[in-house]
Amino acid sequence: MTPEQQTAVEGLLRSHAAAPGGLLPLLHAVQDQLGYLPPAAVPLIASAFNRTRAEIEGVISFYHDFHTEPPARHTLRLCRAEACQCMGGEALAAQLRDSLGLPDEGVSADGELGLIPVYCLGACACAPALELDGRLHARVTPDKLRQLLQGLKGGEGAC
Amino acid sequence: MLTVYIPMDSVACAVGADDVAQRFAEEAARRGMALDIRRTSSRGLFWLEPLVEVDTPHGRAGFRTVTPEDVSGLLAIDMAAVRDHLLSIGLVDELPYLKSQQRLLFARAGLTRPLSLDDYLAAGGYQGLEKAAAMSGDDIVANVLDSGLRGRGGAAFPAGIKWRTVRQAGADSKYVVCNADEGDSGSFADRMLMEGDPFLLLEGMTIAGLAVGATRGYIYVRSEYAPAIAVLRQAIVIAREHGYLGDNVAHGGHDFDIEVREGAGAYICGEETSLLESLEGKRGTVRAKPPLPALQGLFGQPTLVHNVLSLASVPLILARGAAWYRNFGMGRSLGTMAFQLAGNVRRGGLVERAFGLTLRELVLDYGGGTASGRPLKAVQLGGPLGAWIPPSLLDTPLDYEALAAIGAMLGHGGAVLADDTVDMGRMARFAMRFCAIESCGKCTPCRIGSTRGVEVIDRLLAAGNAEEKSRQHALLDDLCLTMQHGSLCALGGMTPFPVQSALKYFPADFGLTSQENAQ
Ligand SMILES: Cc1cc2nc3c(=O)[nH]c(=O)nc-3n(C[C@H](O)[C@H](O)[C@H](O)COP(=O)(O)O)c2cc1C
Ligand code: SF4
Ligand code: FES
């Protein structure tokens, strides 16, 4: 952890550790701020919450949202649940596999794009759906996916 | 001044509503035209989104699937000739899809601005709480009991009984927890309600708090619903400022406040005890019951856990009366149900109707069949743990008991349509895989069984001869039985439903003949 990261974690711990059941909000807050949960933060969190490191690690590993490595510059969360599968969602997954060499989950060779499967984004009436850098897109066609990926390469509006 | 109504619902925006609203603002500015752009909730007519509405002398008229390119043309038309426009759908309230619905919970959908307390109050908001604040907790509970309301989260347990249990439990502190984890594919009614009518949920929770004697409420929202979380947090601040939350709520002498908590991408946290563990800051491992959460729930205290729509039903029951609510529905399925049409469906959206319509009416009359125009193959009702229902069973009434009789369930009311290109062997495999990904790991049939299930289905699908097929098939049946009867909760216990229904109704997709299947 960099000194800046450590300061950030300590600041967040001060505002969260006292709240009843405050661990998930704390983990979200750290991840929102740093982009991921640095493993070196675990001992700090454990001592602030008066729990063991194993417990904290157990919580982090239980939830699909929490990541212990820095994310790629862009994150694409593709819905793989039933309603999207029935509307061409699997073809979008195949498209990502073919065009970026990305399997169901992983980071593109250039390290720019991280792909994460999700199971339902609540857009099932306008399937298939995906979320790119936090923004929801629905009725996604192969063309639209291509445009979205192209847009990332353009650089502008990235991040 | 012309007023246009454009939804701010996240899915409407995901198909362009924000871009359309922005173009309206730009075009109006360019023309020096006074234009009032109101960002409302969504009507839930998602196949029409972005659905733009304008006031006419006869009511609101709508334009369907509007793109930014359409905006300039729309501003140029004569409002008296709205109907002639290519995108016109006429008066929105007259659409058969909407007109035939009984929108109680979603009465304000598409009409009000989600964060306008004035809009909410003008449309009947907080009347239930005003009444409840003047009643005893016992009387509020009696109202909910009389209404016959059953939980909308899936298990359909009578709400009033749970309220009574929590009310009668002696404890220093009690909690009301709203389950807004809505993880089922095909479901989006909770999302629509939270994004579109947040005060309704807050009002329902507050009434529940007064009734059972709780002073604190939590809304546990799945992290995938960031816009809903943001709207709820803002609504809570507004409600507090106006005395609808906080100390001495609605001058009734009770305190009640609400906090929104964000989930972290675990489907199992929709199961109520897993959700409580998660709220306590732990892994979302399912607890054995008893003790019931109503007696020992959050932090070991009596806790009323309800789905979003169950809690949102309460203000109406209080405002209009239990007897009025019972007028809707049939048998033991009372009130209205928010059905959701999703997947490969021509008219996807929200259908709120009293219990009693059939699956055929829902899927064909409302939904219009598949979006692809290909033959309908199956409907999965009630999320990833629900059975795949073949077209031959479409006449089944959509009520809890009738569905149970065909091995299906209503769950949270979501219906996913699949056309004939969908391979049910793959869907069965997906069901097992989903269970493996989302299992909390507490019990063996689910944790190990789901992984073995994927393997057995792979072998069954790959088997080259009849003998091997039938061996794997028998193994799968056996495994499903073990999961069904040996699992602690419905994730392991009901994953066999989509698997076995796929096998039963679509044996050809597994390379089985129906005879082999009958054995
Ligand atoms: C695997 C699993 C997932 C569930 N997911 C949800 C959910 O997302 N939302 C919900 O309200 N109930 C869900 N439930 C049901 C809850 O356990 C519980 O019955 C419900 O919150 C009670 O509220 P109600 O009485 O208002 O239905 C789930 C149950 C299981 C077993
Ligand atoms: S059935 Fe699965 S999810 Fe449910 S308690 Fe057992 S292991 Fe956990
Ligand atoms: S299944 Fe993909 S958004 Fe719901």
Side-chain angles (χ1 to χ4, degrees), chain A residues 31-119:
Chain A
Q31 185 158 295
D32 284 350
Q33 199 160 330
L34 305 182
Y36 71 112
L37 298 170
V42 170
L44 298 179
I45 299 172
S47 95
F49 278 84
N50 203 14
R51 290 166 67 177
T52 64
R53 285 165 64 168
E55 274 182 286
I56 306 297
E57 268 158 13
V59 171
I60 292 173
S61 64
F62 184 86
Y63 295 97
H64 301 305
D65 278 359
F66 296 135
H67 305 289
T68 51
E69 279 173 30
R73 199 144 81 93
H74 300 287
T75 301
L76 194 160
R77 307 210 298 166
L78 181 65
C79 179
R80 307 295 298 272
E82 291 88 341
C84 286
Q85 287 186 40
C86 290
M87 275 303 273
E90 293 309 280
L92 299 179
Q95 189 180 343
L96 289 169
R97 211 157 30 230
D98 297 344
S99 65
L100 293 168
L102 272 175
D104 292 341
E105 181 159 18
V107 178
S108 61
D110 61 6
E112 287 288 293
L113 182 70
L115 174 65
I116 301 177
V118 285
Y119 299 94

Side-chain angles (χ1 to χ4, degrees), chain B residues 220-284:
Chain B
Y220 185 94
V221 190
R222 65 200 299 254
S223 60
E224 291 83 350
Y225 285 179
I229 293 173
V231 168
L232 285 169
R233 288 196 169 135
Q234 293 175 70
I236 287 171
V237 172
I238 297 169
R240 251 183 230 140
E241 282 168 3
H242 290 82
Y244 291 112
L245 281 177
D247 299 339
N248 191 17
V249 170
H251 312 293
H254 297 278
D255 303 343
F256 190 74
D257 215 333
I258 298 175
E259 186 184 330
V260 176
R261 284 285 177 90
E262 182 178 356
Y267 177 77
I268 192 58
C269 287
E271 195 284 333
E272 58 185 359
T273 63
S274 161
L275 186 155
L276 295 174
E277 290 285 304
S278 185
L279 269 179
E280 292 182 5
K282 302 178 189 151
R283 291 164 70 92

